[in-house]
Amino acid sequence: MGKQNGRTTVRKVYHGAVQVVKEPLVHVGRENLDFGKGFYVTDIRSL
């Protein structure tokens, strides 16, 4: 969520999973791979 002109905005984001991830585990992962720990998303649906 964010703020735009004093209003709360919601953006739909996507992850490379085939199912909905309601509670991502952002602290899981190995720090020495690609981008490290985290849960990475995009606003581009076709990826």
Side-chain angles (χ1 to χ4, degrees):
M1 282 193 225
K3 292 273 187 180
Q4 185 175 15
N5 298 327
R7 299 176 67 185
T8 300
T9 59
V10 176
R11 175 179 278 176
K12 185 178 279 191
V13 293
Y14 303 93
H15 175 65
V18 295
Q19 58 195 22
V20 173
V21 180
K22 291 185 179 185
E23 296 182 23
L25 302 174
V26 298
H27 63 282
V28 175
R30 292 182 282 183
E31 293 182 11
N32 60 344
L33 295 178
D34 291 339
F35 301 107
K37 292 182 179 183
F39 187 81
Y40 300 94
V41 297
T42 181
D43 58 356
I44 303 170
R45 184 176 181 167
S46 63
L47 292 176

